[in-house]
Amino acid sequence: MAQLLPPITAPDANDAAFKKTSVLIVDDESRIRHVCTKMLNQEGYDVAQAPNAEAGLAMVAQSHYDIILLDLLMPGMSGLEALGKIRSEHPDTVVIVITGYATLDHAVDAMKQGAFDFLSKPFSPQDLRLVVTKAIEYIRTLQDISNEKSRMRTMINHLSGGVMATDIHKKVALANHAFMNLVDYRGPSPIGEPVQQLVAQPQILSLIDQALAIAPDQFGELTDEIIIKPQGQGEERIIGVRCVPFRDRLDRNLGTITVLHDITTIKRMDQIKSDFVAMVAHEIRGPLNSVMMQQKVVLDELAGPLTEKQREILGRASEKINALVNLSSELLDLTKMESGLANMEKQRLALGPILSDQALFHSAKAQAKGLTLELAPVAQLPPVLANRMNMEEVLSNLITNAINYTPEGGRVSISADTQGDYVRIRVADTGFGIAADELDHIFTRFYRVKNEKTRYVIGTGLGLPIVKSIMEAHNGRVEVQSEEGKGSTFSVFLPAAK
Ligand code: ADP
C-alpha cells in the first residue's frame, strides 16, 4: 500500500521566516516612545521600549531586534556611544537614529558610524513608516543575499566534482572538499591563500594563468586531462580539468573558476573497449586474408574453369572482403594510435619529400578516375618533429578522401607553406563538398555523410578520426573548409621543430 505523506502543517509561530519584525525604541521622552509604539503596533510589528541607552543595551544583549530606533541625545550614555556598541556586537541589527533639529551634525556622525538612516524630531507617523519600511526592505535584501550564499555554499560543498574559485590575484576564494581531495590537498583551510598552496599540479596552475589572460571581450573555457598520483597508497587518478574566467558587469576579469572531474573510470572503460576492438580487428584479419587468398585461387581458375556468372559473383564477394580487411586495418590503426601515440618515435622530418612521394603514389588512382592531381611547388619548409609513418598516413587519408569524393574531371591540389610557428599542408579538391551541419561530425569515429553522391563511395568513417588523433598527438590540428557542390580544403598544422 502506498505510504501516506505527513500532512503539510501551518508554519510554526517560531519559524524565523514567519516571525514579525521586531523593533526596539530607545528614547528618554516617553511621549515619543508611546506614539512610535502605537503606530508600529498598528502596522503589525513587535515593539519594545527602553527609556535610556543602558537599558536598551541590556535588552539588546538579551534578545535580537531587527530594527532599533535610537535617540542620540539622552541623559547618561549617549545614543552615539550606544550605536558604536550595537554595530560592533550586533551587526545584523539596523539602527535608525532620532535627532533633534539642533543635532543634525550628530546625525551625520551617526551615519558615518553605521546608522542606517535618521529621523529628525518632530516627525510624522508617515516619516516613521517610511524609514522603517525602507529598513525592512534593506534587511530582506541582506537576508536574501545571505540565503543565496548559504544555498550556493551547500550546493558547492555537496557536488561530487571539485570546484575552486580564485580572485584576480590568484588567491583561493572558495574550494569544496571534492576539489581538495582530487588535488590531494591535506593542509589547513586554503581560503585566502595563494592558489599554489592548494594546487601543486603545474597544468592546473597554467590553465588558471591562461584563463586570467583571456581578453575581457572573449569567452574562453580551457580544458586539460591530468594524472594525479596521491601521496602514500592511493591509486593514480585521471582528472578532467576545466577553467574559465568570471567577470563583473563591465566584463572585467574578477578571477577564475576551476572544475575537476574524476574521469578515471570512463578512461579505463574506454581503454577496455579499445583493447577489445583491437583484439577483434586483429583476430578477424587472419581468417579474412585466408578467405581472400582462396578466392584468388578460384578466380585465377587454379581450381578449375569459371563461368562468367561465377566470376561476377566471386568478384563482388572479393570487393566486400576487401572492404572488411580495410575496416579491420583502420580499426587496428586507430586503437594502436590511441594507446601508443604518446610514446611513439618522433624525428626531425622534412615534409617536402613525403609530400612528393604521396602525390606520386596517388596519381595513378586519380588519373584512373579522370582527375588532375597536382602538387604546388613546395617552398623551403622548416622541419617538423613527427613520426614518418603517421605523417604518411595523414596525407594518404586526406588525398584518398579528396580523390574518392571528387567526381570525374575534378582537381585535387596539394600545397604546403609556413604559418607563424606552424607548417601547414593543404589538400583541396573540387568535389562534392560537405554540408555545414555535417562538418562537426566528420571527425567522429564511424561517421560517414550519407547522400546520393557519397553512397557509392566505400569507406569506414575512420580516416578522419585517425588524422585528428595523429595531429593531436603531434600538438597540431586539422581544419576543414567546405562548401557543398564546390569542394573541400583540409588543412593540417604541425608545429615547426625548434
Ligand atoms: P570514410 O572516407 O572512410 O567514409 P573519413 O573519416 O575519412 O571516412 O571521412 C568521413 C566522412 O567525411 C566521409 O564519409 C565523407 O562523407 C566526408 N569527407 C571526407 N573527406 C571529404 C572530402 N574531401 N570531400 C567531401 N567529403 C569528404
Side-chain angles (χ1 to χ4, degrees), residues 28-157:
D28 59 324
E29 277 187 65
S30 63
R31 193 183 50 85
I32 298 261
R33 293 200 309 271
H34 177 72
V35 173
C36 290
T37 304
K38 197 167 159 214
M39 196 236 121
L40 293 171
N41 269 336
Q42 275 171 5
E43 297 278 320
Y45 301 115
D46 248 347
V47 189
Q49 307 180 9
N52 54 50
E54 290 82 354
L57 285 179
M59 289 174 76
V60 174
Q62 290 298 313
S63 52
H64 170 77
Y65 294 94
D66 298 306
I67 300 170
I68 298 178
L69 292 170
L70 179 66
D71 188 13
L72 282 185
L73 268 190
M74 287 182 286
M77 186 194 287
S78 76
L80 214 57
E81 195 181 332
L83 169 65
K85 288 187 194 295
I86 296 169
R87 290 300 300 154
S88 69
E89 284 162 33
H90 307 275
D92 291 345
T93 298
V94 170
V95 182
I96 298 163
V97 294
I98 303 173
T99 64
Y101 277 128
T103 56
L104 212 58
D105 284 350
H106 286 157
V108 174
D109 285 348
M111 299 291 284
K112 283 187 191 155
Q113 283 205 26
F116 171 73
D117 207 344
F118 67 92
L119 272 169
S120 28
K121 289 178 190 174
F123 52 83
S124 68
Q126 179 60 12
D127 295 335
L128 176 62
R129 189 178 297 121
L130 224 102
V131 75
V132 170
T133 311
K134 221 166 75 180
I136 288 172
E137 275 170 16
Y138 173 71
I139 292 170
R140 292 223 173 103
T141 310
L142 286 188
Q143 276 170 353
D144 284 351
I145 294 172
S146 130
N147 290 349
E148 190 55 38
K149 266 181 147 176
S150 152
R151 195 174 14 231
M152 282 281 286
R153 209 175 311 123
T154 312
M155 227 160 67
I156 288 172
N157 279 335

Side-chain angles (χ1 to χ4, degrees), residues 2-9:
Q3 216 182 334
L4 285 178
L5 291 170
I8 297 169
T9 49

Side-chain angles (χ1 to χ4, degrees), residues 43 84 91 102 143 149 170 176 202-203 214 352 356 359 427 488:
E43 297 278 320
Q143 276 170 353
K149 266 181 147 176
K170 292 197 282 176
N176 66 0
Q203 301 99 319
I214 295 175
S356 322
V427 179
S488 315

Side-chain angles (χ1 to χ4, degrees), residues 164-175 179-180 183-210 212 231 256 258:
M164 193 243 336
T166 69
D167 64 15
I168 188 88
H169 306 295
K170 292 197 282 176
K171 291 223 166 98
V172 179
L174 169 161
F179 189 94
M180 296 197 240
V183 296
D184 197 32
Y185 177 76
R186 313 228 177 276
S189 165
I191 308 300
E193 301 295 335
V195 67
Q196 293 88 332
Q197 191 139 324
L198 165 65
V199 178
Q201 295 71 23
Q203 301 99 319
I204 303 182
L205 294 173
S206 149
L207 287 190
I208 292 172
D209 283 336
Q210 291 174 48
L212 282 175
Q231 299 157 13
T256 60
T258 306

Side-chain angles (χ1 to χ4, degrees), residues 301-342:
E301 299 195 327
L302 296 176
L306 287 178
T307 65
E308 227 12 73
K309 192 74 197 159
Q310 285 167 335
R311 179 178 297 283
E312 189 197 318
I313 292 170
L314 274 178
R316 264 188 274 136
S318 285
E319 268 174 30
K320 300 286 175 206
I321 299 280
N322 232 332
L324 272 179
V325 172
N326 279 344
L327 173 65
S328 64
S329 306
E330 292 203 343
L331 276 175
L332 265 182
D333 281 353
L334 189 66
T335 47
K336 247 194 256 157
M337 205 87 62
E338 283 170 346
S339 59
L341 270 178

